[in-house]
Amino acid sequence: MTLAMRRTAVLISLMFTAVALDGQQAPPQRSAVAGIDLHRLEAIEPLVTEAIAKKNLPGAVVMVGRGDKVVYEKPIGNRALMPKVEPMTLDTIFDLASLTKVVATTTSVMVLVEEGRVRLNDRVASFIPGFERYGKGDMTVRHLLTHVSGLRPDVDLGDMWTGYDKAIELAIEEVPTSAVNERFVYSDINFFLLGDIVRRVSGKPLDVFARERIFKPLGMNDTGFNPPPALHTRIAPTESCTPYGWPCEGPDKKMLRGVVHDPTARRMAGVAGHAGLFSTAADLSIFARMLLNNGSHGGVRVLAPLTVARMIAPSTPPGERNVRGLGWDMDSSFSANRGELLPLGSFGHTGFTGTSLWIDPATKMFVVFMSNRLHPEGKGDVTPLRARVATVAASALTELPPAVERSAAWSARDLAPSGTIQAVPTAPVSSGIDVLRADGFALLRGRRVGLITNHTGRARDGSTTIDLLHGAKDAKLVALFSPEHGIRGILDAKVPPEKHDKTGLVIHSLYGETRRPTDGMLAGIDTLVLDLQDIGARFYTYMTTMAYVMEEAAKRKISVVVLDRVNPVNGVDIEGPALDKAAVGFTGYFPAMPIRHGMTLGELAKLFNAENKIGADLTVVPLKNWRRDQWFDTTGLPWINPSPNMRNLLQATVYPGVGAIEGTNISVGRGTDTPFEQLGAPWIDGVKLAEALNARKIPGISFYPVRFTPTSSKYANEECQGVFLVITDRLALRPVRLGAEVASAISRLHGAQFQLEAAERLFGSKEGLARIRAGEDPAAVTNAWSAAEARWRLLRAKYLLYR
């Protein structure tokens, strides 16, 4: 039995054991706090106070309970710091953010499920007409609830759309990034679609349905969407709306107060299935106690016992390492708020604004953590704090039910070194040359072949594509072509023609006097084969070489075969401005393309051939066993530097952003041992630059000041000051935004000395550079790219070869 199967079995066993115990006659409690060491709970307040001192949050309300008893409740710190200080109170109302997903939306859906009005396997398109387009016809309610729908995390916000109906329209136009059940992607789109299903089935908006069927019956009187102005003084504000162009509402006209923080929910008029709910810690404790009591509280039943059991049972596909119930988190990359001690079988959820709820059916414990960590500047972080609070709460248990003592288990995430979990093993990836070789080179039988390749053209066993095609008995290799950096990938200048030592074949240069193959080069060739490793960025020139080869081949009726290779920085993520038509050239072939395109060379070949009407006789030999979400280090393929200064995956990860501003008068580390991992110039103050960039709290990366002296390239033999880049979370990192942030910081610190406008050719957006130079917030600049990113996502969809 695999680890995932064992873990799922334990989860199911614990969940149903807890339900069975609920059905037994509970013994009378000896006291209101039986089984709880209240002294241990006193450790919670110092933890929160320490985090407040570090400016991770202004304050919090923490509530811990067991069974139907609240055993700890404490307001700590302040509710507001601006425009005046307000102390935190127990009755403070918080923007729940994504807790909306489980408290309002999942519960509403399950009410409809138990009434027979919705089935988990109902297709979404059966409720929302038109949703079936772009391959979404098989997507079900269960896929939405468990985040395995294949939809993106959110719709695009670059266009200034507004309105509930517009959001649903955008969701209908979404193109899945993967097939259903293929991978877990936490998605707000999933849940505002579920909220819309509630509306369509019940005939009532989600806020009305949830109030009538959940909140009002339970006495959750401070819970609801769009709280009335009379309650605003009790609401914990989040952050300033001014820098983001958000509508400034509320008593102080400066902070979001009583207005949902989530921008998509705000555009949907404050009522959405993924965010928008406001509540208090006391109301959430009522909700938690309802679930622990099999769906009822205070004599009112909201859900049936089996409905609760189904909702909190593991429901993600077998083998998925992110284990989720229906809506609820159980054991995933998002479940840090469970802490270190609460076992598998417990469940909960978090909210972006700093809220959290975790419930353990086996021990009957629940932990409510409410904060407005974004107040006042949007920079707080309570992820570690929520986990510590849950751990202290669990440590206060002095006795366990026998079932928990027998079978308690903890997540493999808790047991893995450094809190990490190993990637799920996958079958080794085979590149196009391996696939072609396995088929005995049948595609090239009887052909006279010209090969465009370099040192990256190798099979899994290390054999070069040159040697393999030269040795293929039914095909004749007659010429070689080299792209930028030459056949050996070591040149950073024009590439001269030469002769290949082993085969004696001429190597024509496509990065010398010409960048296109000529009549003379193509004489005697009927098939051109291309095998190159791309890096996933628009200005990496191998894709343009491929396109020029296709154009010249089409003119001469020469067939083209592309041996595909992986996109090393994955084939899902898309980022960056579309290329200005004025910037189209060798470092940017296709004007609609963002910097990070999310495609393989084979897929790009198909797109170029169709969209530019090249008309080449094109065949792509696809990869085997590659998934779009894979990074290079999960493929089992050996890294070969695709160019002299692209020496590892870390450099490839930041390259779309750092490379985008390389055209300016800064060094990006060429001529050092760590190109693209550091950048600077003799005139830059590295300490101030690092301080400015770290203050921005850019997701997934941090910086420290450095001095370095390039031995070649820009500022050769001159000492530069600058910053070194440390990737802390590559999944959170948006590298093109990183480039915009770096450009913005240098421009603010050094003004006209920084030749920002020289980045236009690679960055590709003259308008974007102008906005950065004008001092606009880089976050606003990068958000404006979303419309172009969405257009690219739609355009590329029909050319994708891999799920």
Side-chain angles (χ1 to χ4, degrees):
M1 184 181 288
T2 66
L3 172 62
M5 292 171 66
R6 290 197 303 271
R7 180 171 56 178
T8 300
V10 169
L11 284 164
I12 294 172
S13 171
L14 283 172
M15 182 273 299
F16 279 107
T17 298
V19 171
L21 286 171
D22 278 341
Q24 299 171 7
Q25 183 66 36
Q29 289 190 339
R30 292 187 296 273
S31 71
V33 290
I36 294 285
D37 181 349
L38 294 178
H39 179 70
R40 280 187 175 270
L41 295 176
E42 293 175 3
I44 291 175
E45 184 173 6
L47 289 176
V48 178
T49 302
E50 180 184 4
I52 291 172
K54 294 178 179 178
K55 298 184 178 181
N56 288 327
L57 73 166
V61 175
V62 181
M63 195 166 286
V64 179
R66 191 175 191 197
D68 199 39
K69 302 290 184 182
V70 173
V71 299
Y72 179 89
E73 54 183 349
K74 191 80 171 180
I76 307 166
N78 294 305
R79 176 163 63 204
L81 301 176
M82 295 174 58
K84 62 180 181 179
V85 175
E86 300 173 28
M88 186 65 73
T89 61
L90 276 176
D91 66 350
T92 295
I93 298 171
F94 293 86
D95 179 343
L96 295 188
S98 284
L99 276 178
T100 304
K101 292 180 172 73
V102 288
V103 177
T105 309
T106 299
T107 310
S108 295
V109 170
M110 296 308 291
V111 168
L112 295 173
V113 167
E114 69 177 34
E115 291 178 351
R117 302 165 73 184
V118 172
R119 297 178 67 246
L120 295 176
N121 287 330
D122 281 343
R123 288 180 168 85
V124 178
S126 68
F127 302 108
I128 304 176
F131 188 78
E132 66 277 3
R133 66 188 61 173
Y134 308 125
K136 302 194 296 293
D138 291 333
M139 198 177 296
T140 68
V141 171
R142 180 182 61 80
H143 295 137
L144 300 182
L145 283 165
T146 53
H147 296 289
V148 292
S149 66
L151 295 177
R152 292 186 298 150
D154 200 358
V155 292
D156 294 302
L157 296 172
D159 290 338
M160 295 306 293
W161 62 268
T162 58
Y164 182 97
D165 291 339
K166 181 61 177 179
I168 303 303
E169 179 186 321
L170 290 172
I172 290 172
E173 292 299 321
E174 277 291 305
V175 178
T177 60
S178 61
V180 294
N181 280 335
E182 191 167 281
R183 64 191 186 100
F184 169 86
V185 176
Y186 183 83
S187 172
D188 287 347
I189 302 174
N190 289 336
F191 272 78
F192 73 66
L193 285 170
L194 288 166
D196 194 54
I197 290 172
V198 171
R199 179 184 68 87
R200 292 171 188 260
V201 173
S202 71
K204 298 177 180 180
L206 176 64
D207 59 332
V208 175
F209 184 87
R211 181 176 67 247
E212 293 179 355
R213 300 298 301 272
I214 305 166
F215 309 143
K216 188 175 179 180
L218 289 174
M220 296 170 62
N221 298 323
D222 287 327
T223 301
F225 295 83
N226 288 326
L231 293 179
H232 283 196
T233 55
R234 284 174 51 202
I235 294 174
T238 49
E239 60 180 311
S240 172
C241 43
T242 306
Y244 302 93
W246 294 342
C248 291
E249 301 179 26
D252 54 51
K253 301 294 183 183
K254 294 180 180 179
M255 291 288 161
L256 287 169
R257 191 167 201 172
V259 178
V260 61
H261 178 271
D262 181 87
T264 303
R266 193 165 52 255
R267 293 189 186 192
M268 295 174 71
V271 179
H274 70 288
L277 194 65
F278 287 74
S279 189
T280 62
D283 275 9
L284 286 191
S285 79
I286 293 173
F287 187 81
R289 285 177 278 172
M290 177 271 292
L291 292 177
L292 287 173
N293 196 36
N294 278 330
S296 66
H297 177 76
V300 175
R301 182 167 297 285
V302 173
L303 296 171
L306 284 177
T307 305
V308 176
R310 179 64 186 89
M311 186 168 64
I312 63 174
S315 300
T316 38
E320 171 57 58
R321 60 177 177 166
N322 292 284
V323 179
R324 309 279 296 201
L326 297 176
W328 291 93
D329 192 5
M330 303 189 80
D331 182 35
S332 78
S333 54
F334 292 86
S335 54
N337 60 314
R338 184 183 60 220
E340 311 295 334
L341 299 179
L342 290 173
L344 291 175
S346 59
F347 60 95
H349 213 283
T350 60
F352 180 78
T353 49
T355 58
S356 168
L357 173 63
W358 203 267
I359 304 168
D360 180 24
T363 63
K364 300 291 189 177
M365 172 167 275
F366 62 88
V367 182
V368 179
F369 182 94
M370 303 284 266
S371 79
N372 53 336
R373 58 103 181 171
L374 295 169
H375 182 72
E377 298 175 342
K379 298 179 180 180
D381 181 9
V382 294
T383 301
L385 176 61
R386 289 185 297 206
R388 293 185 182 113
V389 167
T391 299
V392 170
S395 76
L397 288 165
T398 60
E399 58 187 34
L400 296 176
V404 179
E405 293 177 352
R406 289 194 304 270
S407 58
W410 287 265
S411 169
R413 297 168 201 280
D414 301 327
L415 305 176
S418 304
T420 61
I421 207 166
Q422 297 300 312
V424 176
T426 57
V429 173
S430 296
S431 297
I433 182 59
D434 297 300
V435 175
L436 182 70
R437 183 189 196 182
D439 195 37
F441 303 99
L443 184 64
L444 303 181
R445 196 164 291 148
R447 302 296 186 95
R448 294 176 59 81
V449 175
L451 174 63
I452 303 96
T453 193
N454 61 11
H455 61 300
T456 65
R458 288 182 180 270
R460 279 192 68 88
D461 66 357
S463 301
T464 68
T465 304
I466 295 174
D467 289 344
L468 292 173
L469 295 192
H470 188 254
K473 61 181 180 180
D474 294 325
K476 185 172 180 60
L477 182 63
V478 297
L480 300 173
F481 299 81
S482 65
E484 184 179 4
H485 307 300
I487 203 84
R488 300 173 188 85
I490 59 174
L491 300 177
D492 256 337
K494 278 188 176 182
V495 177
E498 56 180 318
K499 182 175 286 189
H500 188 253
D501 293 338
K502 189 171 182 179
T503 64
L505 296 172
V506 63
I507 305 172
H508 301 292
S509 171
L510 299 181
Y511 193 75
E513 298 306 317
T514 179
R515 294 181 179 178
R516 295 173 176 268
T518 63
D519 283 334
M521 294 177 183
L522 296 173
I525 293 172
D526 58 33
T527 302
L528 285 167
V529 176
L530 183 137
D531 188 13
L532 294 169
Q533 176 61 62
D534 190 46
I535 210 66
R538 181 183 66 209
F539 37 74
Y540 210 66
T541 62
Y542 295 165
M543 75 167 72
T544 306
T545 294
M546 176 184 72
Y548 287 175
V549 165
M550 290 168 59
E551 290 176 356
E552 298 306 317
K555 294 174 185 176
R556 298 165 176 82
K557 308 299 182 186
I558 297 173
S559 299
V560 177
V561 175
V562 175
L563 305 180
D564 213 4
R565 291 188 174 272
V566 304
N567 184 325
V569 293
N570 82 59
V572 173
D573 293 324
I574 290 169
E575 188 194 2
L579 182 68
D580 289 345
K581 289 185 178 180
V584 170
F586 195 61
T587 54
Y589 175 76
F590 195 81
M593 185 186 296
I595 291 175
R596 194 174 179 188
H597 51 71
M599 299 180 78
T600 66
L601 276 185
E603 292 171 332
L604 286 169
K606 287 165 59 68
L607 185 149
F608 294 162
N609 202 35
E611 297 297 327
N612 277 1
K613 297 180 172 55
I614 294 174
D617 176 18
L618 173 68
T619 302
V620 176
V621 180
L623 296 151
K624 184 178 179 182
N625 298 327
W626 186 68
R627 300 190 322 269
R628 303 206 70 78
D629 62 344
Q630 281 188 271
W631 293 66
F632 191 89
D633 55 0
T634 67
T635 64
L637 296 169
W639 178 271
I640 301 172
N641 298 346
S643 54
N645 287 285
M646 193 61 60
R647 300 172 188 175
N648 57 51
L649 184 55
L650 292 175
Q651 294 167 9
T653 301
V654 297
Y655 178 69
V658 177
I661 59 173
E662 184 178 5
T664 68
N665 57 332
I666 63 169
S667 165
V668 295
R670 292 183 187 268
T672 74
D673 292 335
T674 50
F676 303 110
E677 293 182 70
Q678 59 184 349
L679 54 89
W683 43 269
I684 283 179
D685 186 324
V687 172
K688 288 184 177 179
L689 180 59
E691 184 179 67
L693 288 169
N694 284 323
R696 292 288 298 171
K697 294 188 179 296
I698 304 166
I701 198 159
S702 63
F703 309 84
Y704 62 82
V706 293
R707 293 175 182 266
F708 62 90
T709 304
T711 59
S712 61
S713 192
K714 205 174 295 181
Y715 300 120
N717 301 316
E718 291 187 64
E719 185 181 68
C720 297
Q721 286 193 57
V723 293
F724 199 92
L725 284 57
V726 180
I727 298 175
T728 57
D729 183 350
R730 72 183 182 189
L731 299 181
L733 177 65
R734 293 179 57 199
V736 188
R737 176 183 169 179
L738 163 66
E741 291 277 4
V742 170
S744 174
I746 297 176
S747 181
R748 290 196 313 271
L749 290 171
H750 298 283
Q753 192 168 11
F754 178 43
Q755 298 169 9
L756 173 62
E757 290 70 22
E760 183 179 345
R761 181 174 60 89
L762 298 181
F763 191 79
S765 171
K766 187 174 183 178
E767 178 193 9
L769 292 175
R771 292 178 66 182
I772 292 171
R773 177 66 90 185
E776 288 193 39
D777 189 318
V781 175
T782 58
N783 285 342
W785 302 337
S786 61
E789 292 165 347
R791 288 191 292 270
W792 175 255
R793 190 172 284 106
L794 286 171
L795 178 66
R796 74 169 193 153
K798 51 192 167 185
Y799 304 110
L800 301 183
L801 297 171
Y802 314 99
R803 292 284 188 175

